[in-house]
Amino acid sequence: MRIVILGAGTWGTALARMLCLAGHDVTLWSALPEEIREMRRTRAHRNLPGMVLPEGICLMEDLAGAIRGREIVVFAVPSVYVRGTAARVKAHLEPGQILADVAKGIEPDTLYTMSEIIEDVLAEEGGCPYPVVALSGPTHAEEVAQDMLTTIVAASRDPQAAATVQRVFSNEFMRVYTNSDVKGVELCGALKNVVALAAGISRGLGYGDNARAALITRGMSEITTLGLRMGCREQTFSGLAGFGDLMVTAFSEHSRNNRCGYLIGSGVEPEEAVRQVGMVVEGIHALAAARTLADRYQVEMPIVEEVDQIIHHGISAQEAVATLMGRALKSEIPANR
Ligand SMILES: NC(=O)c1ccc[n+]([C@@H]2O[C@H](COP(=O)([O-])OP(=O)(O)OC[C@H]3O[C@@H](n4cnc5c(N)ncnc54)[C@H](O)[C@@H]3O)[C@@H](O)[C@H]2O)c1
């Protein structure tokens, strides 16, 4: 298959390497020409130490040339750049191309998921003429770049496109499952990052595994309740894109959301914590949308709310913990579930 990856960040680069070694014809494009020039020179990536970029990957700055003749176009830029990237590619797309998104997030003002943003930007009369597939799951780029076993979910309303992406991305190291609950898969991918921030904050405060397990479980309960109100399927939340991704994000040293939370819990100001992490911290970008969705669907999301209080309203992590622990006692399972 001829594939172009848009975005030469950590994830885009790890995927480009994996797909190339699996025998596909891969082009990697970046909006930052200096990034491509550096990778051409070093065949390496600054955030993936030890990884060697195979010679077979074509590195390109020219967007039109990168997209021409490709069968799959993968959006691998951070969520804040997905709309802009979709607008840039619009003029160059060709009939029959499948679009895949691997970015995780929700746009704060529209509340669109990443695939919805792409469909919105590319819409013509009668809707978006390209099938869009969201790829999401417990997948750290650092591990994929070292051929460590990984699973992921390909979610699309177009079963044929999902099956194609499933086949192309599956290899001896990666196993892909399909799921038709696109909204549920994308909601999990965006909101688990907020819970991972909370898990990191708890660790930074010196709390242990009990607190982390509680945050993961109660955090997923918040996300599931919201998702069900939005019409998503319950199994998605206990699946790879749900609990699977939340576990890996809240437990792994590779998770930048977890690491950013840890710094904040240790007393570092949120802005400085993001600077120290040095890569996109999607959980912080997802907070505004999570709060708006909670309001709109009338769902209590106390963990999301307290993380937002810490990041955006100057509440200390200790105060947030006191608020969570002091909430009225209740049943674990909501009456309406
Ligand atoms: N890193 C992972 O392990 C991983 C795994 C699964 C999903 N994701 C998701 O993939 C997305 C990308 O993550 P990442 O880890 O590669 O992030 P990253 O911080 O490594 O990405 C930075 C890259 O974004 C691109 N970029 C920078 N400015 C841009 C601009 N103005 N316009 C377009 N592109 C620009 C550049 O190629 C840059 O290298 C995120 O939504 C993330 O949640 C990441």
Side-chain angles (χ1 to χ4, degrees):
M1 275 269 177
R2 294 184 301 278
I3 305 161
V4 59
I5 311 263
L6 307 176
T10 322
W11 193 212
T13 303
L15 285 174
R17 174 190 172 276
M18 180 195 83
L19 292 165
C20 175
L21 293 180
H24 298 290
D25 175 348
V26 179
T27 294
L28 182 58
W29 171 88
S30 169
L32 314 177
E34 65 278 16
E35 181 171 63
I36 289 294
R37 283 196 290 272
E38 189 189 331
M39 289 173 85
R40 222 180 255 139
R41 199 167 38 79
T42 61
R43 303 306 292 189
H45 190 283
R46 64 190 179 287
N47 293 328
L48 297 169
M51 187 216 64
V52 178
L53 213 53
E55 285 301 323
I57 295 178
C58 176
L59 295 160
M60 286 185 83
E61 300 109 311
D62 166 31
L63 185 58
I67 290 175
R68 193 175 309 124
R70 302 280 123 186
E71 291 156 288
I72 301 180
V73 178
V74 181
F75 287 73
V77 294
S79 63
V80 289
Y81 301 129
V82 167
R83 183 172 285 278
T85 305
R88 286 185 69 177
V89 304
K90 188 171 182 171
H92 307 299
L93 290 173
E94 297 164 359
Q97 287 178 323
I98 294 174
L99 311 184
D101 168 74
V102 299
K104 295 171 178 173
I106 300 174
E107 198 170 42
D109 45 347
T110 62
L111 300 180
Y112 287 163
T113 61
M114 298 298 107
S115 74
E116 288 168 347
I117 293 175
I118 293 169
E119 287 168 345
D120 181 46
V121 174
L122 303 179
E124 294 172 359
E125 231 174 279
C128 174
Y130 307 95
V132 184
V133 180
L135 275 165
S136 188
T139 55
H140 281 312
E142 292 81 354
E143 295 193 1
V144 170
Q146 293 176 53
D147 293 334
M148 291 191 175
L149 298 191
T150 300
T151 55
I152 195 165
V153 174
S156 180
R157 277 175 288 280
D158 182 323
Q160 244 179 313
T164 301
V165 168
Q166 177 181 45
R167 183 167 45 77
V168 170
F169 280 73
S170 290
N171 53 62
E172 63 180 305
F173 305 113
M174 183 174 279
R175 181 171 167 79
V176 184
Y177 293 81
T178 55
N179 187 333
S180 57
D181 179 15
V182 190
K183 189 79 164 190
V185 164
E186 291 195 279
L187 200 62
C188 289
L191 298 187
K192 58 92 195 183
N193 286 327
V194 178
V195 180
L197 274 170
I201 291 171
S202 150
R203 207 163 47 85
L205 284 168
Y207 297 117
D209 295 344
N210 294 355
R212 179 152 51 178
L215 285 166
I216 290 172
T217 314
R218 295 306 304 163
M220 188 43 88
S221 170
E222 291 180 19
I223 298 171
T224 307
T225 306
L226 174 67
L228 293 181
R229 291 267 168 92
M230 293 172 71
C232 307
R233 289 173 58 186
E234 187 151 16
Q235 292 99 314
T236 299
F237 297 88
S238 54
L240 289 170
F243 252 117
D245 201 1
L246 177 53
M247 297 243 287
V248 86
T249 314
F251 274 102
S252 170
E253 76 213 59
H254 297 307
S255 164
R256 52 194 83 166
N257 291 283
N258 188 358
R259 214 171 335 134
C260 182
Y262 176 78
L263 290 168
I264 294 168
S266 311
V268 177
E269 287 300 319
E271 224 169 280
E272 172 58 18
V274 172
R275 202 193 60 72
Q276 287 187 26
V277 168
M279 290 179 275
V280 62
V281 180
E282 291 284 23
I284 291 186
H285 294 296
L287 272 170
R291 293 294 308 275
T292 312
L293 284 170
D295 281 350
R296 179 172 297 181
Y297 289 93
Q298 294 288 294
V299 176
E300 277 195 338
M301 301 187 81
I303 296 172
V304 168
E305 186 172 334
E306 290 310 316
V307 174
D308 188 47
Q309 289 293 334
I310 295 169
I311 304 288
H312 293 129
H313 303 283
I315 299 291
S316 74
Q318 287 85 350
E319 283 173 285
V321 170
T323 303
L324 285 174
M325 292 303 283
R327 281 167 51 81
L329 298 174
K330 56 190 255 192
S331 160
E332 183 179 29
I333 301 161
N336 52 359
R337 282 265 295 278

